[in-house]
Amino acid sequence: MELLDYLYTYFFSEARLIQHCDVEPQKFIELQTIGVMPRPSYILDANLLCNSFFGEHEQHGKISFYPKSYAEWLNKVKCNTTSEAAFTIFSERLQKTIHELARNNISMGYEDDISKLNLFIATQWQHFLEGTYGLCTRTGLPEDIAKKEITIGLLNTRLTQVNLSDQEEKQLITAMNLLASCSPKFAPHERSKSQKQRLAAQVESKLHISLE
């Protein structure tokens, strides 16, 4: 099955993740409950029928999957980290990436408006904890989250413009390439639904180019 291949290539099962990071199952649940560790990005409801020399065997259960890169986050927050401390880590990494992008002319103006910035960070923090970004970014970590959200915002803005200057066309291509770099391969059944796929098609149509 393509889906299973995808999940076991790019994700850890919950059991594998906590073993990899040497965290007890109950501690892991506590970290999620207090808002430190994200929820799973995929939950597989498995009904397995196995046939072997010893006969048939049935097994039923749910398997939660997390990006392999979440091992880095779990190792960072597993030792008595509060939700506030975890949010600070997330916020600092997100802001650093926002400023780096702005220096390269990839910006939605968050770096110049503290209230918009704070709202943006708070919103992404909630999506992060819900496990959303483990699905729709390459790593699910703050750096890729900032890249994804800012490039999508910029792409949507530029694509609504009737005419683009040469500089804006270059910015559009740069933003699209950046979005591609922080996007996952996506599960087979999700690829055609991804924002990356939709935006790439719109950029190609608007600029009469191929991004392949």
Side-chain angles (χ1 to χ4, degrees):
M1 293 183 184
E2 274 190 275
L3 177 58
L4 282 176
D5 289 342
Y6 176 76
L7 291 175
Y8 280 105
T9 298
Y10 297 104
F11 294 77
F12 280 144
S13 67
E14 186 169 303
R16 182 71 184 93
L17 177 62
I18 63 177
Q19 179 188 46
H20 183 81
C21 296
D22 194 23
V23 175
E24 292 296 322
Q26 186 56 42
K27 177 65 174 178
F28 186 76
I29 293 170
E30 289 174 9
L31 292 172
Q32 290 182 317
T33 301
I34 65 172
V36 165
M37 184 66 201
R39 300 287 177 179
S41 297
Y42 291 93
I43 300 175
L44 194 66
D45 195 347
N47 296 300
L48 301 176
L49 176 62
C50 174
N51 285 286
S52 72
F53 172 79
F54 292 102
E56 285 189 357
H57 171 71
E58 288 189 45
Q59 194 165 338
H60 309 282
K62 293 185 177 181
I63 309 171
S64 296
F65 288 91
Y66 302 79
K68 289 182 176 180
S69 52
Y70 275 13
E72 179 222 307
W73 181 263
L74 180 53
N75 279 327
K76 188 177 292 291
V77 301
K78 66 184 180 182
C79 296
N80 302 317
T81 303
T82 64
S83 179
E84 292 76 13
F87 175 76
T88 297
I89 295 169
F90 178 89
S91 176
E92 288 176 349
R93 289 173 62 170
L94 202 71
Q95 289 187 63
K96 181 180 178 183
T97 306
I98 289 169
H99 287 287
E100 288 173 351
L101 291 171
R103 286 194 290 272
N104 288 284
N105 198 32
I106 302 296
S107 170
M108 287 298 293
Y110 296 121
E111 67 281 359
D112 298 320
D113 188 327
I114 191 65
S115 60
K116 282 177 61 178
L117 176 63
N118 289 339
L119 178 60
F120 175 76
I121 294 171
T123 301
Q124 308 324 316
W125 173 244
Q126 289 306 312
H127 291 317
F128 172 70
L129 290 179
E130 289 163 5
T132 305
Y133 284 119
L135 181 157
C136 62
T137 66
R138 187 173 55 84
T139 65
L141 296 174
E143 293 76 15
D144 277 351
I145 293 171
K147 290 173 187 175
K148 176 185 184 295
E149 292 302 326
I150 289 173
T151 54
I152 286 176
L154 185 58
L155 285 162
N156 283 326
T157 298
R158 290 284 177 257
L159 286 167
T160 61
Q161 294 178 222
V162 177
N163 297 307
L164 295 174
S165 66
D166 289 347
Q167 183 178 0
E168 288 169 337
E169 287 189 2
K170 290 177 182 177
Q171 187 187 46
L172 198 63
I173 294 171
T174 299
M176 192 63 238
N177 288 337
L178 191 57
L179 176 60
S181 75
C182 68
S183 295
K185 291 184 179 295
F186 289 102
H189 65 285
E190 296 169 336
R191 285 170 194 158
S192 63
K193 305 173 188 175
S194 72
Q195 287 179 301
K196 174 197 163 192
Q197 192 100 337
R198 174 182 63 81
L199 289 166
Q202 290 180 355
V203 169
E204 288 180 330
S205 175
K206 191 171 187 68
L207 301 184
H208 307 291
I209 61 170
S210 173
L211 293 170
E212 294 297 326

